[in-house]
Amino acid sequence: MMVWTILLAAGQGTRLSASTGGLAKQFLEWKGAPLYWESARVFARCARMRGLVFVFPEASLETERERVERLMRACPLGLPWKTVAGGSLRQDSVRQGLAALPESCGKVLVHDAARPFASPALVNRVLDGLGERGEEGAAACIPGIPVVDTVKVVDAGVVVSTPDRRRLVAVQTPQGFGLDRLRAAHERAEREGWVVTDDAALLELCGERVRVVDGEPGNIKITTPEDLPMLRDTVRKTPCVGYGYDVHKYADGKEAKQPARPMRLGGVAIPDAPEVLAHSDGDVLLHALMDALLGCTGGGDIGTFFPDSDPAFDNVSSVVLLDTVLDELRKTGIVLSHVDMTIIAQIPKIGPYRETIRKNVARLLGLEPGAVNVKATTEEGLGFTGERLGIKAVAVVTGMRGES
């Protein structure tokens, strides 16, 4: 089923207003854009995502729609998107977002725009828990982290009870839902007059099964003035460089050591091109890119992470594998800044697809298109590429590593 995300950016941010000059937290500038844009970039890097709905305050809906249009022109996310006005309560805003989803949408993620630190790996974990890959899933899947402090239930300043914290988790977003079930829960909430602080609570009230997966300690919500320093870049950084190289043989119908796959480059299908022999989907460009990214981390190569002897990676999308590598990059604190890639092949002609490949790789990496370069060349008829026996690619990436 198609997956869309509702990005909630309609709150008033009253607890922060004195520290921000009255500006709601989701509109604070960070990395040259409003805070909500960082979350949009994260979701755009997830291969299974098919669209975004931005929910803004009604008073600023037109202003923010125009701003999203400008941001999309400057750094296209490669996803369809819509904007809608929110309501006075969080659940009103979600309900407005649900009404804007297309008929083709079957599953939906709901995310607070004030959580800019969520990762694509977390998004994929929630989707997996929801059953997006075919296994029987739950009505909802939410990320949570263990509660480390003792929690007291208090009434009128007096402790009533102490819950067992081993059974408690602090809940985060994005939260994932089967669309029909979430809509039904919101309709019942309107009839019953329920007011809740997250959508999972509505599913619980309806008696639905809600699954919990591991959240991320760094997935913090900007809520109070004490949280604002997290948006300041005070870490000293040093540059790092990674190099990647990969080769795939063209299928000739004579050998079957590996399956023949339709050619994809940078996640883009290349029609009328030779098929390639590969255990995965055979995207030689993304394979070289992943090796370069792992070069930055000192983490080995893609064979270490995704061995071709493992049936789990049979015909797996290289875009999905890239998400895993990018999560490794994030764990090391490296911020990617530039990518330069070269495709070497006698056939097919890369020129007609070069710009599409460049934009798609930029989207997958969360970079502006100007930070990604794609080149193509032949070897003048020399070597195995010149003899039209295969294709190869090289990639060089640069980034900045934070120092503690």
Side-chain angles (χ1 to χ4, degrees), residues 23 28 71 87 174-175 225 229 251 263 358 386:
L23 186 66
L28 293 171
L71 290 166
Q175 298 184 350
M263 184 180 291
R358 184 173 74 93

Side-chain angles (χ1 to χ4, degrees), residues 63-378:
T63 299
E64 293 306 319
R65 178 184 291 134
E66 292 173 0
R67 177 148 60 167
V68 172
E69 288 176 348
R70 292 194 301 271
L71 290 166
M72 288 288 185
R73 286 195 297 269
C75 184
L77 298 185
L79 293 174
W81 58 278
K82 300 181 180 183
T83 58
V84 298
S88 57
L89 297 176
R90 183 186 189 277
Q91 64 196 63
D92 297 330
S93 295
V94 174
R95 190 169 58 250
Q96 295 290 84
L98 291 173
L101 293 172
E103 293 183 2
S104 57
C105 179
K107 296 181 185 291
V108 61
L109 297 178
V110 179
H111 185 61
D112 297 323
R115 289 188 186 270
F117 307 112
S119 72
L122 176 61
V123 176
N124 285 325
R125 196 152 58 243
V126 171
L127 287 175
D128 290 344
L130 193 58
E132 177 56 20
R133 287 183 174 170
E135 65 271 23
E136 183 180 353
C141 183
I142 62 177
I145 57 175
V147 173
V148 296
D149 295 320
T150 298
V151 176
K152 303 286 186 181
V153 178
V154 177
D155 184 16
V158 177
V159 172
V160 176
S161 63
T162 304
D164 182 355
R165 71 182 184 190
R166 292 173 298 180
R167 301 183 62 191
L168 300 178
V169 296
V171 172
Q172 304 175 329
T173 66
Q175 298 184 350
F177 304 90
L179 180 55
D180 290 344
R181 287 171 170 175
L182 184 57
R183 279 179 169 158
H186 273 274
E187 290 169 2
R188 185 172 176 185
E190 280 196 280
R191 294 194 304 269
E192 305 286 348
W194 295 339
V195 177
V196 296
T197 55
D198 77 341
D199 296 276
L202 293 181
L203 274 292
E204 296 163 36
L205 290 170
C206 292
E208 296 277 13
R209 180 170 175 241
V210 178
R211 178 176 293 164
V212 179
V213 296
D214 290 340
E216 294 176 338
N219 183 25
I220 297 169
K221 187 176 182 181
I222 303 300
T223 305
T224 67
E226 289 73 25
D227 298 327
L228 291 177
M230 288 188 291
L231 302 180
R232 300 176 189 144
D233 187 6
T234 59
V235 179
R236 187 164 60 94
K237 295 180 178 179
T238 55
C240 56
V241 177
Y243 172 82
Y245 173 87
D246 196 49
V247 172
H248 279 295
K249 183 180 179 181
Y250 289 156
D252 57 12
K254 297 179 181 178
E255 57 181 81
K257 292 181 180 179
Q258 289 181 314
R261 311 294 191 191
M263 184 180 291
R264 302 186 71 86
L265 294 172
V268 175
I270 309 298
D272 302 321
E275 292 186 320
V276 298
L277 298 177
H279 182 64
S280 66
D281 66 357
D283 191 324
V284 68
L285 190 63
L286 288 189
H287 291 182
L289 174 60
M290 285 187 278
D291 264 352
L293 293 169
L294 290 170
C296 274
T297 69
D301 57 28
I302 58 175
T304 303
F305 283 84
F306 319 113
D308 59 12
S309 59
D310 190 337
F313 303 120
D314 181 28
N315 202 26
V316 67
S317 168
S318 294
V319 174
V320 174
L321 302 183
L322 178 62
D323 283 342
T324 300
V325 172
L326 288 171
D327 190 44
E328 292 298 314
L329 195 77
R330 180 187 62 81
K331 290 175 183 177
T332 65
I334 293 173
V335 177
L336 195 61
S337 58
H338 191 269
V339 173
D340 188 23
M341 300 176 291
T342 302
I343 303 164
I344 302 107
Q346 200 71 31
I347 55 171
K349 296 295 184 184
I350 305 301
Y353 311 103
R354 191 186 73 85
E355 190 63 16
T356 301
I357 293 170
R358 184 173 74 93
K359 290 181 178 178
N360 196 55
V361 171
R363 176 182 68 85
L364 295 173
L365 298 177
L367 295 174
E368 295 185 6
V372 174
N373 190 42
V374 177
K375 307 185 295 294
T377 186
T378 69

